[in-house]
Amino acid sequence: MNHPNGTKLPVLLLTRRFPDAVTARAARDYRIIVNEDDHAYGPDEIAAKAEGADAVMVSAVDKIPGDLIRALPDSVRMIATFSVGTDHIDLAAAKERGIVVSNTPGVLTDATADIALLLLLGAARRASEGERLIREDRWEGWAPTHLVGVHVTGKRLAILGMGRIGQAVARRARGFDMEIHYHNRRRLPVGEELGAVYHADADDLLAVADFLSIHSPASPETHHWLNAERIARLPDGAVVVNTARGSVVDDEALIAALASGKLAAAGLDVFENEPRLHPGYAPLANTFLLPHLGSATDQTRDAMGFTALNNLDAFFAGRDLPNRVV
Ligand code: DGY
């Protein structure tokens, strides 16, 4: 199939079912290979489906390890991920093979920050316990001591990772009069901190964290960063929120702290080894759990797809990529 200008359309493998508007635009500008039943492809399947493709559009849950990158057909010149995170892709292997990689930063900031606040409030105020009570017809009426949660307004919020999403969480939390503390590799310019207190040492941040919200990308340095030792530094009764990546948290340590009452609650949208959660989370009443919904709004998912396509379009037009990672 040719473009109206006579050039041959590049072949694009879509590893998942993407939003309709995104798929329609992809079908207009590329010869697309679609995933009819939207099952999660394994690495061998991706390599096989990519036969003859010029590029692959993947999602955050498609694992693209070095072995797969080396097994991709020579025709594949670009991987556009429908995500801001790139931890699922072996970037060094892509670079070695000369495969360009792009991501979708910026467009999911608000949706993810909204979910962080939902988790913070839901965990603190025991929303899932309350909701279950009603759905299971077990509510016996208002009582002065019933389902008493953690007060949010005016408390200290510690943000680990003050990038776009961390900053958007801080802006929202100010609406709850929270005192914002943060750690980031680099301190923000003072004018952009908007009153937040910087902690050069991430461990110092923990001591002031009535609420800890994690916004660090997955990396070897952040693997199981929130471990038993760091949890011990948190104030008793703290609430932990994670919308970044599950691997930043040591599940065993977090579950033990939730079970012992060291921590009041946790609100989690991401898990190591998704979609299989550590079995310790679900039975705990003080966990508020969501299935990786951070970016799941109609507007955001369209924007992620269009951003991925903008990156592909730029690549095939020989222009600089807006969001080139490798
Ligand atoms: C991302 O883009 O990395 C998110 O985790 C998907 O919601």
Side-chain angles (χ1 to χ4, degrees), residues 60-313:
V61 296
D62 293 311
K63 299 267 173 281
I64 318 288
D67 285 351
L68 166 57
I69 291 193
R70 287 181 283 278
L72 285 172
D74 288 342
S75 58
V76 173
R77 290 185 289 146
M78 175 163 172
I79 298 171
T81 184
F82 179 92
S83 63
V84 62
T86 53
D87 49 292
H88 53 300
I89 304 174
D90 186 332
L91 298 175
K95 192 170 181 188
E96 213 165 279
R97 269 209 76 181
I99 295 177
V100 168
V101 178
S102 68
N103 69 343
T104 65
V107 293
L108 40 75
T109 302
D110 287 328
T112 308
D114 291 349
I115 281 280
L117 265 290
L118 172 65
L119 291 170
L120 187 154
L121 292 165
R125 301 301 302 272
R126 305 177 66 176
S128 67
E129 282 175 272
E131 219 233 0
R132 240 172 300 147
L133 209 63
I134 290 181
R135 286 188 188 280
E136 293 166 11
D137 199 19
R138 290 186 288 110
W139 186 32
E140 289 174 4
W142 190 92
T145 56
H146 185 225
L147 283 185
V148 171
V150 177
H151 197 78
V152 172
T153 299
K155 292 288 181 65
R156 297 169 300 182
L157 170 64
I159 297 180
L160 180 76
M162 198 63 146
R164 288 185 186 86
I165 298 172
Q167 291 175 45
V169 168
R171 284 195 296 277
R172 284 157 176 73
R174 282 194 193 96
F176 291 89
D177 293 334
M178 296 185 92
E179 185 182 302
I180 315 295
H181 295 251
Y182 76 100
H183 169 78
N184 203 39
R185 263 176 310 179
R186 273 189 303 274
R187 183 173 181 171
L188 297 183
V190 175
E192 290 171 27
E193 281 181 321
L194 298 174
V197 180
Y198 179 62
H199 296 261
D201 183 341
D203 286 354
D204 291 344
L205 180 74
L206 297 168
V208 296
D210 298 324
F211 291 81
L212 172 68
S213 193
I214 297 174
H215 301 285
S216 300
S219 71
E221 296 75 48
T222 60
H223 184 77
H224 288 190
W225 181 85
L226 190 65
N227 56 17
E229 194 189 315
R230 291 200 171 96
I231 289 172
R233 293 173 195 254
L234 289 166
D236 291 347
V239 174
V240 170
V241 170
N242 189 7
T243 51
R245 284 291 182 264
S247 63
V248 180
V249 170
D250 174 347
D251 287 336
E252 296 283 345
L254 182 58
I255 288 164
L258 289 164
S260 72
K262 159 70 187 170
L263 296 178
L268 307 173
D269 186 46
V270 287
F271 304 89
E272 195 163 22
N273 307 317
E274 290 175 21
R276 283 179 299 281
L277 269 63
H278 187 295
Y281 283 122
L284 288 172
N286 53 353
T287 54
F288 185 69
L289 310 171
L290 294 177
H292 203 147
L293 294 182
S295 64
T297 73
D298 43 8
Q299 193 173 313
T300 301
R301 288 283 165 88
D302 280 356
M304 289 165 74
F306 295 146
T307 304
L309 289 171
N310 291 345
N311 289 320
L312 287 156
D313 293 351

Side-chain angles (χ1 to χ4, degrees), residues 24-43:
R25 181 175 140 184
R28 184 193 67 190
D29 298 335
Y30 296 86
R31 264 176 56 210
I32 57 172
I33 307 169
V34 295
N35 179 341
E36 295 290 355
D37 62 4
D38 196 30
H39 70 281
Y41 290 157

